[in-house]
Amino acid sequence: MSLKGWEASLDSLLGNRFDADSLVPGHGVIGPRIAAAGWAKRYLMDAWDKASTTASWGTSELAFREWGDLGAYEEIEFYQECHFMNIRRLYREAKGIKTIGRPRTRALKY
């Protein structure tokens, strides 16, 4: 996960160049493009705010299950499986710690 990468991807989905009526993301809200991409961006920004603020306090990364809750999103199907992994990665990014990605994967450009 890269904050800037996700932000750029979501901004491209929100822009006029992306011509689609609906989005079916792997996680989150399924629906009209603007609503679905907007929801994902709000989640990302809320998670970043929580992780970066917590990192600035010097709170332990290992306690991420204690401080990483974002109650407004806990009813979403991916929350328990993915959210805490996301918040931990964002915490590490805020601290300047590189998170190792998956080997042999590349972003596709079109």
Side-chain angles (χ1 to χ4, degrees):
M1 169 185 251
S2 158
L3 177 67
K4 288 183 181 184
W6 268 106
E7 220 175 346
S9 293
L10 291 167
D11 286 344
S12 73
L13 293 174
L14 289 164
N16 293 331
R17 292 186 63 196
F18 189 79
D19 186 23
D21 295 327
S22 298
L23 292 177
V24 181
H27 306 292
V29 175
I30 296 172
R33 173 178 60 94
I34 299 299
W39 181 93
K41 187 160 184 181
R42 282 189 303 281
Y43 164 75
L44 181 64
M45 294 295 97
D46 288 348
W48 170 251
D49 287 345
K50 180 80 165 216
S52 61
T53 299
T54 303
S56 73
W57 294 339
T59 304
S60 169
E61 171 190 354
L62 298 177
F64 67 95
R65 289 226 179 243
E66 294 171 21
W67 58 258
D69 187 49
L70 285 177
Y73 300 93
E74 67 186 16
E75 297 301 318
I76 302 300
E77 52 88 20
F78 77 96
Y79 189 80
Q80 289 301 321
E81 293 81 11
C82 297
H83 168 68
F84 290 103
M85 179 176 56
N86 292 342
I87 202 105
R88 188 173 185 190
R89 284 185 175 215
L90 290 168
Y91 174 96
R92 292 175 65 81
E93 187 169 335
K95 287 288 209 179
I97 301 167
K98 174 92 171 117
T99 300
I100 298 170
R102 293 186 177 126
R104 298 184 306 271
T105 58
R106 294 189 187 116
L108 298 175
K109 293 184 180 184
Y110 60 96

